[in-house]
Amino acid sequence: MLERTRRKKRTEVTFVLPAGHPAGEVSVVGDFNDWQPGLHPLAGRPDGSRAVTITLSSGARHGFRYLADGGQWLDEEEADGHDGRNSLLHT
């Protein structure tokens, strides 16, 4: 799930995964962090879900995916689109 808070020239995007899916560590990687695993790990929330918030420039398009332990790649079902390889996010 994606949660967004729009500001004047930026958008805060919170990437959220449900409790226990997938098991283990997960990070969000994309063109906004040069596809570097581990730079934006999802942290636990009181309800058991996991999330991380990233501030991005408004009016941009970004490709991203989730990377879980063991090299498992996951797409975001609620993304603004998919390009055949990545989930897409419009800020």
Side-chain angles (χ1 to χ4, degrees):
M1 173 179 23
L2 300 172
E3 299 171 352
R4 302 172 214 223
T5 303
R6 288 189 166 83
R7 308 284 186 210
K8 288 183 181 180
K9 295 182 180 180
R10 58 187 165 80
T11 301
E12 293 174 357
V13 181
T14 302
F15 299 85
V16 183
L17 290 176
H21 178 73
E25 298 288 322
V26 180
S27 62
V28 63
V29 294
D31 54 19
F32 46 80
N33 63 11
D34 293 325
W35 299 94
Q36 295 295 311
L39 287 181
H40 294 103
L42 279 71
R45 290 173 147 184
D47 67 359
S49 65
R50 292 176 285 175
V52 63
T53 301
I54 301 172
T55 301
L56 302 169
S57 297
S58 293
R61 178 181 136 172
H62 298 281
F64 73 97
R65 293 188 85 191
Y66 298 106
L67 180 60
D69 279 347
Q72 178 185 9
W73 290 96
L74 304 161
D75 293 314
E76 172 58 63
E77 293 179 17
E78 295 182 16
D80 297 329
H82 294 87
D83 66 7
R85 182 172 184 160
N86 301 311
S87 299
L88 300 175
L89 167 67
H90 303 279
T91 57

